[in-house]
Amino acid sequence: MDMDEMKLSKTDRQRELTNRLKAEPFITDETLSEYFKVSIQTIRLDRMELGIPELRRRIKDVATQNHDEIKSLPIEDVIGEIIDIELDKSAISILDIKEEHVFTRNGIARGHYLFAQANSLCVALINDELALTTKSNVQFKKSVILNERVIAKATVKSKSKHIAKVEVTSTVHGEPVFQGQFEMYYSNEGENNG
């Protein structure tokens, strides 16, 4: 639906807002206000009336549900915030690019932060006490700038003989900015792995 064509009634806007947040729970109020062509304050009021928490709270709620599952590294060692994880299958993290992540002269994110987000997501994804990266093949597709949100999605493609192959795609506004294939060594070949 193109919001340029017409302004929705409050009821329709709130219904559409609810659907949009179900489909994309980590969308910002700013993006929603642009989408619906209303003020950020209107979006906040809509969320309050609907009982939908602010973005930070939505992220924290999802992240808290998932942190207990991670075995391979302490959560403070993860670069970015894990918002969804199914061990040995897939995981998603977000990284908000701040001043400390960018080159001061041009506001472009330093590549090692994008790599670290993807790599630590791969480590967290492995259902084992020990998971180490043995090989990676990465491509930086597009520059990421200050204040952008990077969403990294990691998927285990195969797992056997102590090696898991994981693919990661990181996006900003749905556009790929980083892609990588990682080979992860893990120590156990137990029944929980494989």
Side-chain angles (χ1 to χ4, degrees):
M1 179 184 296
D2 187 357
M3 295 297 135
D4 286 333
E5 293 171 16
M6 60 186 239
K7 209 153 186 158
L8 295 174
S9 71
K10 180 178 176 181
T11 307
D12 290 341
R13 184 183 64 243
Q14 287 187 349
R15 185 177 329 113
E16 181 72 18
L17 175 72
T18 303
N19 292 337
R20 188 83 197 264
L21 284 169
K22 276 183 188 157
E24 248 183 295
F26 306 112
I27 195 168
T28 64
D29 286 350
E30 290 78 8
T31 302
L32 288 167
S33 80
E34 290 167 18
Y35 178 77
F36 287 108
K37 306 282 188 255
V38 296
S39 70
I40 291 173
Q41 191 60 33
T42 299
I43 294 296
R44 288 182 182 143
L45 288 169
D46 283 348
R47 277 194 305 93
M48 285 171 56
E49 283 182 30
L50 295 165
I52 298 170
E54 65 171 338
L55 176 64
R56 195 170 248 348
R57 182 78 240 167
R58 294 194 306 269
I59 291 168
K60 197 171 170 59
D61 288 348
V62 174
T64 304
Q65 295 163 19
N66 295 304
H67 286 175
D68 295 341
E69 295 183 30
I70 300 170
K71 291 183 180 178
S72 55
L73 79 170
I75 204 62
E76 60 271 12
D77 288 348
V78 174
I79 306 300
E81 197 164 352
I82 294 179
I83 56 171
D84 189 32
I85 190 164
E86 193 176 344
L87 294 178
D88 287 341
K89 289 192 171 53
S90 63
I92 300 171
S93 75
I94 58 174
L95 177 64
D96 288 319
I97 302 301
K98 299 185 172 99
E99 295 281 345
E100 67 266 22
H101 302 124
V102 301
F103 292 104
T104 50
R105 71 180 183 275
N106 57 19
I108 294 175
R110 298 167 188 261
H112 63 265
Y113 285 108
L114 299 182
F115 178 86
Q117 178 190 18
N119 189 61
S120 64
L121 190 58
C122 290
V123 172
L125 183 54
I126 304 302
N127 186 12
D128 199 281
E129 297 291 329
L130 176 67
L132 303 168
T133 306
T134 60
K135 189 176 8 174
S136 67
N137 179 8
V138 302
Q139 288 181 300
F140 295 89
K141 301 285 207 177
K142 186 174 181 264
S143 295
V144 177
I145 58 172
L146 182 64
N147 298 322
E148 287 188 320
R149 167 166 288 161
V150 181
I151 300 174
K153 296 181 182 179
T155 307
V156 173
K157 293 300 181 183
S158 66
K159 197 166 183 239
S160 64
K161 297 188 178 106
H162 299 285
I163 295 290
K165 293 185 179 185
V166 184
E167 274 185 18
V168 180
T169 300
S170 299
T171 60
V172 172
H173 302 299
E175 267 192 77
V177 294
F178 173 95
Q179 288 184 313
Q181 291 81 38
F182 292 79
E183 280 191 11
M184 310 301 296
Y185 167 84
Y186 60 93
S187 57
N188 289 330
E189 274 291 341
E191 56 194 69
N192 292 336
N193 300 304

